Amino acid sequence: MNYQISPSLMCLDMMKVPEQLSFLDEKADMFHVDIMDGHYVKNIALSVDFVRQIKPYTTIPIDIHLMVAEPMDFIDNLIEAGADSISVHAEVISSYAFRLINHVRNSGKKVGIVLNPATPIEVLNNYAHLVDKVTVMTVDPGYAGQPFIPEMVEKIKKLKQFREEGNYQFLIEVDGSCNKNTYNLLLNAGAEVLIMGSSGLLKKDIPLSDTWQIMQNDIVQSLSA
């Protein structure tokens, strides 16, 4: 079974960013960068400047997850900073979804849509053919380390069916509680990109080389169970 790993850079040890970034750049498929504005979610995370600073030291795609109230305010600066793909929440773009999606696409970047746990798949109906990735949140957005919402397994299955019936091309990504307790459920439901944070990979008390190997072993074992 094919899958991609996208480490959440918000969960890096900020005292070891250069060495952890270098290690992950050789192992992962893309980098996941959370940007929060303190309005859409009550938290502040990474920034456009962070993307600009790490870009020269990365060879894999930088994938932005915008948890902000006004994503259009960030798009052009992120493109200039070096973002390779930008994902936005469906809940905040209803009045300008096509303008935003087409602007990102016309800039030569990939675009994704993020669905909160309570957001139905049907919001994708009119623009699913235009997006490169759909992210299913398996926790409420805004904070790392939250408990997994089990109802999202069925949602991932429905999203995969939705893609097949519409002959869409987007990847199915999962954000939240990707770890040894959920790998089997998520991958067998149809997940193709796993965002790896504090529960599955980035643990401050264990060397990253060790947690990477543990993660890979856990995934292999879960798929053979």
Side-chain angles (χ1 to χ4, degrees):
M1 182 180 295
N2 294 324
Y3 59 88
Q4 298 183 48
I5 299 297
S6 181
S8 175
L9 300 191
M10 179 178 73
C11 299
L12 289 177
D13 184 337
M14 289 301 151
M15 301 302 292
K16 301 177 180 178
V17 169
E19 63 185 84
Q20 292 191 338
L21 198 66
S22 177
F23 176 86
L24 292 170
D25 191 63
E26 297 181 356
K27 300 285 188 180
D29 298 286
M30 66 184 83
F31 285 128
H32 183 82
V33 176
D34 289 302
I35 295 180
M36 308 178 193
D37 63 356
H39 297 286
Y40 180 67
V41 293
K42 298 299 181 183
N43 200 2
I44 301 291
L46 304 176
S47 67
V48 174
D49 283 339
F50 178 82
V51 176
R52 185 177 290 109
Q53 289 170 21
I54 68 169
K55 183 63 176 180
Y57 306 99
T58 61
T59 61
I60 60 177
I62 298 176
D63 179 40
I64 308 299
H65 177 188
L66 278 177
M67 283 178 269
V68 300
E70 298 290 343
M72 284 296 285
D73 292 347
F74 292 78
I75 298 296
D76 287 338
N77 287 334
L78 283 167
I79 291 170
E80 182 273 331
D84 296 288
S85 60
I86 301 173
S87 293
V88 297
H89 278 258
E91 303 83 13
V92 299
I93 64 166
S94 59
S95 64
Y96 52 87
F98 284 89
R99 179 153 44 98
L100 184 148
I101 290 170
N102 287 322
H103 181 62
V104 176
R105 287 166 56 89
N106 291 338
S107 299
K109 307 299 181 181
K110 293 184 177 181
V111 62
I113 298 295
V114 185
L115 304 179
N116 279 341
T119 302
I121 292 169
E122 287 73 20
V123 299
L124 300 169
N125 282 345
N126 292 315
Y127 51 73
H129 61 293
L130 296 174
V131 302
D132 300 289
K133 180 160 60 68
V134 175
T135 303
V136 175
M137 296 293 298
T138 58
V139 299
D140 287 325
Y143 297 91
Q146 295 184 77
F148 180 72
I149 300 173
E151 290 85 352
M152 294 305 100
V153 175
E154 188 62 29
K155 186 174 185 177
I156 296 166
K157 292 178 181 178
K158 289 180 179 178
L159 181 60
K160 182 180 180 181
Q161 182 180 357
F162 172 84
R163 182 179 66 180
E164 291 172 351
E165 291 176 349
N167 196 29
Y168 302 125
Q169 303 302 311
F170 58 77
L171 287 170
I172 297 174
E173 180 178 73
V174 173
D175 189 354
S177 290
C178 294
N179 55 53
K180 65 179 181 180
N181 297 319
T182 61
Y183 294 142
N184 183 282
L185 292 170
L186 298 174
L187 293 170
N188 282 301
E192 296 159 318
V193 183
L194 300 179
I195 296 173
M196 302 302 302
S198 57
S199 71
L201 176 61
L202 296 159
K203 302 177 185 295
K204 289 183 171 59
D205 55 340
I206 305 175
L208 184 53
S209 57
D210 292 347
T211 60
W212 182 271
Q213 190 59 55
I214 292 168
M215 176 198 70
Q216 293 285 27
N217 291 343
D218 287 342
I219 293 175
V220 170
Q221 289 178 12
S222 71
L223 291 175
S224 63

